[in-house]
Amino acid sequence: MTVRNLIGLVAVALAITAATPAAGAADRYITLASTTSTDNSGLFDAILPRFEAATGIAVRVVAVGTGQALRLAERGDADVLFVHHRPSEEAFVAAGYGVERFDIMYNDFVIVGPTADPAGIVGLGDAAAALRRIAAAGALFASRGDDSGTHKKERSLWQAAGIDPAAHSGAWYRETGSGMGATLNTAAALDAYALTDRGTWISFNNKAGLALQVEGDPRLFNQYGVILVNPARHPHVKAADGQALIDWLRSAAGQAAIGEFRIAGERLFTPNAAD
Amino acid sequence: MHDLSEALGTAAWLILSLDRDLIEIVSLSLRVSLTAVAVAALIGLPIAGALALSRFFGRTVVLSGLNALMGLPPVVVGLFLYLMFSRSGPLGALGLLFTPTAMIAAQVLLIVPIIAALGRQVIEDLWADLGEQLRSFGARRRQAIGTLLWEGRLALLTVVLAGFGRASAEVGAVMIVGGNIDHVTRVMTTAIALETSKGNLSLAMGLGLVLMTLSLIVNGGAFVLQNAARRRSGG
Amino acid sequence: MTAPPSILPLVLDGLVFAVAGRPLIKSITCRLERGPRTVILGPNGAGKSLLLRLCHGLLTPTAGTVSWAGAAAGGRDAISRAQAMVFQRPVMLRRSVAANIAYPLALRGLGRRDRRHRIAEALEVSGLKRFSDSWARVLSVGEQQKLALARAWALAPQILFLDEPTASLDPAATAKVEEIILAIDARGTKIVMTTHDLHQARRLGDEVVFLHRGRLVERAPADQFFASPQTEEAAAFLAGRLSTKRLKRGSP
């Protein structure tokens, strides 16, 4: 391979790229750190184009676990943070990394599991009781194990159930250390129980032998919050445009967009900024 | 079997319908990986030449180190560059995080060792053949390296393709430094990871087949070119 | 006729070359003047090729010196540019015949017009004109060796080393190579070559340097060497008794 050939190759590649529409080439954009569960649900694809149309600001979504999203934002690598673990969010603001936290919407967590239901939890209204039965049966449980919002919620539920699942890690308690979708894939393959947010569950396309089994426990409530990364700490943060997104999400238009987002007729998120 | 045939169908449909998103993702993948390969070749080949022609104390250690770096885990490279490019990192002011440039940098880091290590072997073998004659001509080391790189162009093309293969197939590094942002930094591999996580297994596999087809085309093209050149020039 | 300044004569003084402590060239002292074509003879393993490489600077002596005593001997570059070497196995670059000739000329900084002129001349002399645009590596070994000679011709060196240049060639190619060697000689280039072929040595040699087991055993004008060798080893070699025998290590 010679320099000349290489330059030729690169030129061809650039020409191909230049010939394709570059939707992301907008000059005005903000970076939104959010969670895989939110992104995988398709919510952003549904509502963000409306925001862009209204304001001309493109939003680049970096979807990672809540824990990683918080750390990205702490380091100043995002302008706005949109996650779902209130205690962490409040700590984030208290530490001066964020300006202020606002409620935007909620959905809920559900426990899914194999249709055979070896632990007998179908229809239980008490999530902690369901977990106790799973543990007692020694039925397989697939955990995110990645310090995400969902994982944090799951640990709080185990605590409420009075069980330390970490002691059984590797036995019936399986920590995947990966995202919501990957964990559901694992659960489907293992016939394991798992805790998931409803949005990801509804939009997940590889349910295999899994079914929704426990819902409705107030402890399964899943509140989403949005925070502007503090420009006082990270001067490059696009505060005005980031605030515009937050304002829009809290506005009637944004709230309506969230409320209208449906998959297979089901509403995934309930807007509650005004509460 | 059903999943695989569905994946094949999805792949065929994606390609035949010239899916807009697919074209965008494929062209970004090509742009990132080809640029990375070009940059890595410009860095790695001279290193290969210099290592092939020089004898110094600790050379074996350097060569072993280089060979080890060929197996550099992409995630580690991604993490390293994330820490460099992060706003709080030493290069944060450049604002390169979550851009194709950062992804190119990650792939360059991944494949420079491959090109340097494999290229070194090619050039060393050539030097065994041509060295005396080149020295007889009075070629200086730098001139000799340039000549050997040109003389070994066909074998080195294979080396560069090995680099391209690794660059276009890796996901760990570009996921971290690119962020898999739709329309901005989403490439074939991160799209596959994303669709897998959404449970769209046949779509993910379909994308995988497209990626393999692409890599087949690039490699096949290079192979044909190489063979034609070899026949013409007598190896 | 006054010859232009040259780097010659070449002076070898106590030249020793050893590999892993084992001496292969043992204290050779001699002086090669401009003019006569020098043929280096000796049985296998006598050190002929090593001696050429030491003279040409491809190998570094373990002890002793290789020096150039002529008026034109300046720095390393000047000395290097005044020499050329043709190897037993022709070394071809992966490019056209003409480009193979052009390559060392370009290394020496010759301008494009000079290069074109010299390439045309060299192709003419070597009879390779019709192959000018062919790829060098698809030529037969014979043609390749002619090209190696053409390349040397184009360089117009003051001294040309040839290491068994016809060892793997057929008679026709050998004749052509010898013809080119004589043409190069006729332009005033000092020829120093090794050969296994005694007939070739008689045809081309003005003087003979005879090596045996790494030592310079005898040096004489060619006629005299072939007619009446002065040493037992040379006589045995010419009679065919030394030629291919594996020499025992450590013998005196």
Side-chain angles (χ1 to χ4, degrees):
Chain A
M1 176 73 69
T2 66
V3 175
R4 224 178 322 159
N5 294 356
L6 279 173
I7 291 170
L9 273 179
V10 174
V12 169
L14 291 178
I16 293 171
T17 318
T20 53
D27 310 288
R28 195 169 168 206
Y29 69 88
I30 55 172
T31 304
L32 174 68
S34 187
T35 68
T36 47
S37 56
T38 326
D39 191 39
N40 285 3
S41 73
L43 174 73
F44 290 137
D45 290 341
I47 67 167
L48 289 181
R50 296 201 202 179
F51 169 69
E52 189 177 348
T55 61
I57 302 167
V59 182
R60 297 186 174 180
V61 180
V62 177
V64 290
T66 296
Q68 199 186 337
L70 284 160
R71 251 153 280 159
L72 275 179
E74 270 173 28
R75 298 180 61 93
D77 294 325
D79 302 306
V80 179
L81 181 67
F82 191 169
V83 293
H84 57 106
H85 190 252
R86 191 167 189 145
S88 308
E89 292 159 30
E90 281 166 352
F92 182 84
V93 173
Y97 293 114
V99 177
E100 191 183 349
R101 182 193 169 283
F102 299 100
D103 282 342
I104 292 297
M105 63 187 193
Y106 67 88
N107 67 353
D108 60 345
F109 289 105
V110 295
I111 297 176
V112 299
T115 41
D117 192 18
I121 64 167
V122 169
L124 284 182
D126 181 341
L131 290 185
R132 268 193 297 273
R133 287 198 193 173
I134 291 170
L140 289 179
F141 186 94
S143 165
R144 292 278 294 273
D146 65 349
D147 199 30
S148 58
T150 308
H151 188 219
K152 288 173 201 264
K153 169 67 76 173
E154 181 209 311
R155 275 189 309 212
S156 70
L157 291 173
W158 285 113
Q159 209 169 359
I163 292 165
D164 176 18
H168 307 279
S169 186
W172 56 266
Y173 188 69
R174 305 287 172 86
E175 293 180 81
T176 66
S178 43
M180 194 66 253
T183 301
L184 285 175
N185 278 332
T186 304
L190 291 178
D191 275 335
Y193 292 93
L195 178 76
T196 170
D197 61 285
R198 191 184 291 270
T200 303
W201 172 248
I202 292 173
S203 58
F204 186 68
N205 281 326
N206 182 36
K207 296 192 173 86
L210 296 181
L212 193 159
Q213 294 177 333
V214 174
E215 60 185 326
D217 185 328
R219 273 181 296 218
L220 291 174
F221 181 73
N222 185 23
Q223 177 65 48
Y224 286 77
V226 67
I227 303 170
L228 178 69
V229 176
N230 194 349
R233 189 174 278 261
H234 293 293
H236 61 270
V237 164
K238 296 165 182 163
D241 288 354
Q243 190 59 49
L245 174 65
I246 293 172
D247 292 345
W248 183 82
L249 286 171
R250 300 178 66 220
S251 73
Q255 292 282 295
I258 292 170
E260 285 161 20
F261 174 59
R262 280 174 166 75
I263 286 180
E266 272 192 80
R267 181 152 105 171
L268 267 65
F269 300 96
T270 309
N272 69 339
D275 295 355
Chain B
M1 237 13 253
H2 170 71
D3 286 343
L4 284 183
S5 59
E6 199 180 318
L8 261 177
T10 308
W13 186 81
L14 281 173
I15 295 171
L16 294 177
S17 67
L18 290 175
D19 184 86
R20 237 177 101 105
D21 282 352
L22 179 74
I23 291 175
E24 189 182 276
I25 289 172
V26 166
S27 51
L28 181 64
S29 295
L30 282 178
R31 191 181 107 195
V32 167
S33 293
L34 288 177
T35 311
V37 162
V39 174
L42 289 178
I43 299 170
L45 289 177
I47 294 178
L51 281 174
L53 264 60
S54 49
R55 296 289 176 272
F56 53 89
F57 182 76
R59 180 172 182 268
T60 334
V61 178
V62 171
L63 294 187
S64 314
L66 201 59
N67 284 336
L69 286 181
M70 286 204 288
L72 211 56
V75 179
V76 173
V77 170
L79 204 57
F80 171 73
L81 281 186
Y82 168 71
L83 293 174
M84 299 299 287
F85 287 145
S86 166
R87 286 293 180 174
S88 307
L91 302 178
L94 299 176
L96 287 179
L97 192 66
F98 304 140
T99 65
T101 309
M103 300 159 79
I104 292 168
Q107 296 191 348
V108 166
L109 270 191
L110 277 173
I111 59 184
V112 159
I114 296 185
I115 292 180
L118 299 180
R120 196 253 333 156
Q121 192 59 53
V122 168
I123 293 170
E124 213 166 301
D125 292 348
L126 263 179
W127 180 240
D129 277 357
L130 304 179
E132 278 198 324
Q133 184 70 74
L134 293 184
R135 286 169 56 211
S136 170
F137 287 152
R140 291 167 208 285
R141 176 176 298 187
R142 190 173 294 189
Q143 293 168 324
I145 290 174
T147 302
L148 292 170
L149 288 174
W150 175 247
E151 290 295 309
R153 57 195 178 271
L154 294 180
L156 292 173
L157 178 60
T158 310
V159 168
V160 169
L161 281 178
F164 176 75
R166 176 147 160 106
S168 58
E170 79 82 28
V171 56
V174 293
M175 184 69 98
I176 296 176
V177 298
N180 189 26
I181 299 171
D182 202 8
H183 303 304
V184 180
T185 56
R186 183 161 301 164
V187 290
M188 296 294 291
T189 53
T190 58
I192 291 170
L194 177 69
E195 292 309 330
T196 305
S197 76
K198 286 189 195 169
N200 295 328
L201 301 190
S202 65
L203 178 57
M205 191 66 204
L207 284 169
L209 291 175
V210 173
L211 178 61
M212 281 165 64
T213 310
L214 209 68
S215 142
L216 212 68
I217 290 171
V218 170
N219 277 282
F223 185 74
V224 168
L225 222 131
Q226 214 170 16
N227 257 358
R230 202 160 264 162
R231 256 200 312 280
R232 206 162 53 108
S233 67
Chain C
M1 183 180 108
T2 52
S6 165
I7 61 167
L8 287 155
L10 166 61
V11 181
L12 309 181
D13 187 13
L15 195 61
V16 174
F17 183 74
V19 173
R22 183 179 155 215
L24 301 174
I25 295 289
K26 300 165 188 167
S27 189
I28 290 182
T29 297
C30 84
R31 190 180 164 93
L32 295 179
E33 301 284 351
R34 319 170 61 165
R37 294 187 296 269
T38 304
V39 171
I40 301 172
L41 290 177
N44 283 343
K48 305 186 294 291
S49 295
L50 287 179
L51 183 59
L52 280 191
R53 284 170 169 75
L54 285 162
C55 292
H56 189 33
L58 294 178
L59 294 175
T60 307
T62 309
T65 56
V66 173
S67 50
W68 300 88
R76 268 181 63 159
D77 268 11
I79 289 173
S80 157
R81 279 160 189 229
Q83 309 177 41
M85 182 159 175
V86 169
F87 298 87
Q88 179 177 346
R89 201 174 49 80
V91 182
M92 296 291 113
L93 302 175
R94 288 167 177 80
R95 39 189 104 187
S96 73
V97 166
N100 261 277
I101 301 175
Y103 175 78
L105 298 177
L107 277 186
R108 289 174 194 205
L110 257 77
R112 186 183 288 238
R113 269 185 54 185
D114 277 354
R115 287 204 302 255
R116 212 169 339 167
H117 177 68
R118 289 212 202 179
I119 292 167
E121 229 176 49
L123 289 171
E124 191 68 50
V125 170
S126 57
L128 292 173
K129 216 168 169 181
R130 70 203 156 99
F131 294 123
S132 170
D133 296 325
S134 307
W135 287 79
R137 292 168 72 98
V138 301
L139 300 181
S140 70
V141 181
E143 307 290 0
Q144 289 191 6
Q145 194 60 297
K146 285 183 215 168
L147 175 52
L149 266 297
R151 211 156 47 182
W153 162 281
L155 286 172
Q158 292 170 23
I159 181 167
L160 172 62
F161 298 100
L162 301 112
D163 189 12
E164 309 213 14
T166 61
S168 41
L169 306 189
D170 64 20
T174 301
K176 183 66 190 179
V177 164
E178 288 184 7
E179 187 193 314
I180 306 172
I181 293 173
L182 290 175
I184 293 173
D185 170 65
R187 284 208 312 186
T189 296
K190 163 84 178 175
I191 302 290
V192 180
M193 70 181 287
T194 66
T195 181
H196 263 117
D197 179 347
L198 292 181
H199 298 292
Q200 183 174 60
R202 281 178 213 266
R203 285 194 298 272
L204 295 182
D206 293 324
E207 65 164 351
V208 170
V209 169
F210 178 69
L211 300 187
H212 186 219
R213 292 176 185 165
R215 290 186 199 285
L216 195 166
V217 174
E218 181 166 347
R219 180 180 182 187
D223 299 348
Q224 188 186 318
F225 179 84
F226 289 113
S228 52
Q230 299 297 299
T231 58
E232 228 175 278
E233 290 91 339
F237 174 72
L238 289 175
R241 281 182 282 122
L242 264 187
S243 56
T244 56
K245 228 188 302 172
R246 178 88 177 87
L247 296 158
K248 243 195 284 176
R249 269 182 73 177
S251 50

